[in-house]
Amino acid sequence: MEQCDAEIPSRGRGLSYGGDGCREDRLSALPDDLLIHILLKILDAAVAARTRVLSRRWRRLWTLLPELLFPNSNPRHIRLALTAHKAPVLRKLAVTVIDPTPESVAAWLPIATRRLSGDLFLFNMARRNESEDEAGERGAFELPCFERATAIVLPCQGPLALEVSMPPAGVFAQLTALKLVCVHLHGPCRLGEVVSSPRCPSLRKLIIDNARGLLNFTIHSKSLLYIELKNLRPDDPLDLGNFTIHSESLQRMMLMSLHSLQQLTVMAPVLRVLSVSSCFGPSSNQPVASISAPQLITLQWKDVYHTSYTQLKMENLQVLGGNHFFVYGQEAHKMHNSSCVGLLRRFELIENVVLTLLYQTEITNHEYLMEDIARLPNIAVMGLYIDANRHSFGGSLFHLLSMCTGVKKLTLTLLGRTCCLAAQTACRSDCVCNEQSNWKTEELVLDRLKEVEVHDLRGTEREAAVLKRLFDWARVLETMTVSFDRSVAASKAEEFCLMLQSFSRPDVCMKGPHFA
């Protein structure tokens, strides 16, 4: 019997016998675009390339793949694959490396710059038996300028950072997204210069997480929409220096754990959402923040705040979130609370304020600190996160509500680790938290409060007592929605809901999965 295709000596999938006894390769008869789609499902360019031995029809197919993924290939194979690649567009290149040397990356990365017209993913699987000094001895590879790349993502998995330097010249003309995770930046070229508009005119999204080597970071951008900077540490043990961000287009920005930042300057006329958390640390020099964002709607400021060196220009702010507030504490807790107090004093009118009240487990010989909050802005919606740690929290809630009697909606979320709830009981009867008892007897008129939400109830007597008083204070209440922590049994939740209905007026709509 004569074989129709000498390159496939045995019968296999995709083959059938024709009427003359010759085998037909029906799979190879499929159009190129469908076969390429099948090869893309392999998710490994090296494995896809092996299909070239199947027949003459398959020899060139893998070179037409619009995406090349190398989950476990050496630099030589990557270079050869990129050299042989013939597709009109390479829209994705994903490479996994293990602690690469500059030489190993240089074997293929410059070729990729000429071929890539899409997204680059370079994953570093760092070894765990190497010190930072040993990693630094390998040196840093230079990220070349990808003129046609649309996204560059450099994530690292492991305890050590990917050593990389930015290109001193060139324009990333098409780049819209840049994400650097666990990197150590080297070289004289500063990252801020690279991501600014002259060299990244189309950049819309910038994320840098867990990075070293940044100092005096400055961005001037006309295209950025979103910036996220987290867990940044300087090579200088003292501080990160000054961060300056000027952007006419920026809409959202999150800054978190920028260790010992000394100065933050932001000029963003269309910025809508800003979050600043744990960026300013203790220093001999007071940190300075100057933020001009006239269209800002939402501000979350969980950081140091003082009117003498924190200038916030945001005339249209509607939502404000501050740092957690210690209800009981000592001198150090007072200093921490002062930032939250100062931030609340800064604004006269805020539609929505979100606060977190924190009770420590042991508060014996601690001072009641709620009196330090002497005024609140004019508030329409209040969100309270309360970590009571088994203590009575009615007094702190009463204190806040008595200063914003015009509130229209109240949301209470009760915090606490679910795994510890089963073992928790109320604190001792002689605990200092019970000294604040005025909330149990004093009258409070909340004649605009129409909606209350309570989340993560545990079904305790103290929670029931607080909610009973809320029904007394909120005389025009229309709706109360409650939910329970996942540790609470359904039978207990249903019993608690029956009790709430006994407190409620008939015209109040009670919502929640455990109401009959």
Side-chain angles (χ1 to χ4, degrees):
M1 182 182 293
E2 184 180 358
Q3 289 186 176
C4 294
D5 189 343
E7 296 190 12
I8 304 181
S10 62
R11 184 176 182 178
R13 261 186 270 181
L15 302 177
S16 65
Y17 285 93
D20 58 357
C22 288
R23 286 172 292 176
E24 296 181 78
D25 184 356
R26 294 182 178 176
L27 184 61
S28 295
L30 295 174
D32 280 1
D33 56 351
L34 186 54
L35 292 176
I36 289 172
H37 180 74
I38 294 171
L39 289 180
L40 285 173
K41 298 294 184 181
I42 297 176
L43 302 179
D44 189 327
V47 175
R50 293 175 195 155
T51 61
R52 67 186 182 276
V53 303
L54 293 177
S55 71
R56 297 184 188 91
R57 174 81 167 80
W58 288 80
R59 286 178 182 174
R60 65 181 184 86
L61 281 176
W62 75 271
T63 67
L64 301 177
L65 291 176
E67 300 179 4
L68 294 179
L69 283 64
F70 297 95
N72 187 22
S73 296
N74 65 45
R76 178 176 173 272
H77 292 161
I78 299 172
R79 178 174 59 82
L80 291 174
L82 288 171
T83 303
H85 191 253
K86 303 299 182 184
V89 174
L90 178 57
R91 66 187 184 212
K92 181 178 180 180
L93 174 63
V95 178
T96 299
V97 295
I98 300 177
D99 297 330
T101 63
E103 295 76 17
S104 67
V105 178
W108 59 269
L109 200 54
I111 303 174
T113 63
R114 299 190 294 270
R115 298 291 302 143
L116 186 65
S117 298
D119 301 343
L120 170 67
F121 297 85
L122 179 56
F123 300 92
N124 181 32
M125 307 293 290
R127 289 195 298 260
R128 298 183 179 274
N129 58 350
E130 188 178 40
S131 68
E132 287 190 3
D133 291 337
E134 290 173 328
E137 289 174 1
R138 291 196 311 273
F141 75 88
E142 181 180 301
L143 180 71
C145 181
F146 284 81
E147 295 182 356
R148 294 182 296 167
T150 54
I152 296 178
V153 180
L154 272 62
C156 178
Q157 180 176 332
L160 300 178
L162 182 66
E163 310 288 330
V164 60
S165 64
M166 294 292 107
V171 177
F172 294 80
Q174 304 299 322
L175 191 66
T176 61
L178 176 63
K179 182 176 182 180
L180 307 177
V181 180
C182 195
V183 297
H184 185 190
L185 297 168
H186 293 256
C189 180
R190 298 185 185 276
L191 180 61
E193 174 191 336
V194 175
V195 300
S196 292
S197 281
R199 297 190 58 189
C200 277
S202 304
L203 189 63
R204 298 166 65 88
K205 186 175 184 179
L206 173 65
I207 298 176
I208 306 175
D209 186 3
N210 193 11
R212 290 171 51 212
L214 284 172
L215 180 65
N216 296 326
F217 187 68
T218 301
I219 297 177
H220 293 269
S221 177
K222 299 178 181 180
S223 61
L224 271 169
L225 300 179
Y226 179 81
I227 294 178
E228 181 179 316
L229 307 177
K230 298 193 304 182
N231 304 310
L232 306 187
R233 301 180 303 283
D235 285 331
D236 186 330
L238 295 179
D239 56 62
L240 283 169
N242 305 333
F243 275 30
T244 301
I245 299 171
H246 290 192
S247 177
E248 302 169 1
S249 55
L250 187 63
Q251 296 181 10
R252 299 174 66 91
M253 181 163 66
M254 182 175 75
L255 309 177
M256 178 184 293
S257 298
L258 310 185
H259 295 280
S260 299
L261 182 65
Q262 284 304 298
Q263 181 169 329
L264 173 64
T265 302
V266 178
M267 295 185 66
V270 298
L271 186 66
R272 307 284 285 181
V273 178
L274 173 64
S275 175
V276 179
S277 177
S278 304
C279 293
F280 300 106
S283 173
S284 57
N285 300 317
Q286 293 283 19
V288 174
S290 176
I291 300 175
S292 176
Q295 299 302 317
L296 194 70
I297 299 298
T298 301
L299 172 65
Q300 186 177 60
W301 190 274
K302 295 186 175 182
D303 218 311
V304 176
Y305 177 89
H306 195 283
T307 54
S308 63
Y309 54 84
T310 309
Q311 304 300 320
L312 305 179
K313 299 178 182 179
M314 38 195 72
E315 298 84 358
N316 294 295
L317 194 66
Q318 297 178 17
V319 182
L320 175 65
N323 216 338
H324 62 268
F325 187 94
F326 289 101
V327 179
Y328 289 86
Q330 299 175 331
E331 198 60 36
H333 303 105
K334 282 187 176 183
M335 292 183 62
H336 171 90
N337 287 351
S338 64
S339 292
C340 181
V341 172
L343 186 66
L344 292 172
R345 288 175 178 169
R346 162 65 178 78
F347 299 96
E348 294 290 334
L349 173 64
I350 296 290
E351 181 178 341
N352 190 335
V353 170
V354 181
L355 297 175
T356 300
L357 302 182
L358 179 60
Y359 289 73
Q360 299 174 90
T361 303
E362 180 53 60
I363 58 176
T364 304
N365 299 323
H366 284 208
E367 183 181 350
Y368 184 62
L369 303 179
M370 290 300 297
E371 302 297 338
D372 291 343
I373 302 180
R375 63 171 294 274
L376 290 174
N378 190 355
I379 300 170
V381 180
M382 175 178 281
L384 286 179
Y385 291 83
I386 302 177
D387 191 347
N389 255 319
R390 304 179 301 147
H391 296 292
S392 172
F393 61 91
S396 57
L397 176 62
F398 179 80
H399 178 81
L400 294 177
L401 290 178
S402 64
M403 290 186 289
C404 55
T405 55
V407 66
K408 299 177 181 179
K409 179 179 178 179
L410 173 65
T411 300
L412 294 178
T413 303
L414 305 179
L415 305 176
R417 291 179 295 176
T418 299
C419 61
C420 302
L421 295 177
Q424 284 191 1
T425 57
C427 59
R428 302 188 312 271
S429 59
D430 61 347
C431 180
V432 295
C433 71
N434 293 313
E435 295 176 2
Q436 304 299 321
S437 59
N438 57 335
W439 65 277
K440 297 180 180 179
T441 56
E442 290 189 17
E443 289 299 316
L444 178 61
V445 178
L446 304 175
D447 55 3
R448 295 188 179 182
L449 182 58
K450 295 185 177 182
E451 184 178 356
V452 172
E453 294 182 7
V454 187
H455 301 289
D456 297 333
L457 283 164
R458 275 74 176 183
T460 66
E461 292 182 4
R462 283 179 168 170
E463 293 170 351
V466 169
L467 294 181
K468 186 176 187 302
R469 291 300 286 156
L470 263 179
F471 282 115
D472 295 336
W473 301 333
R475 301 175 182 178
V476 295
L477 185 65
E478 296 177 353
T479 304
M480 176 176 282
T481 304
V482 302
S483 66
F484 291 81
D485 184 86
R486 62 184 181 182
S487 66
V488 180
S491 58
K492 182 177 181 179
E494 291 168 0
E495 181 181 349
F496 193 89
C497 287
L498 285 174
M499 180 170 52
L500 291 182
Q501 287 177 312
S502 69
F503 301 154
S504 171
R505 300 186 309 276
D507 58 337
V508 177
C509 178
M510 304 295 292
K511 296 182 178 181
H514 298 286
F515 286 104

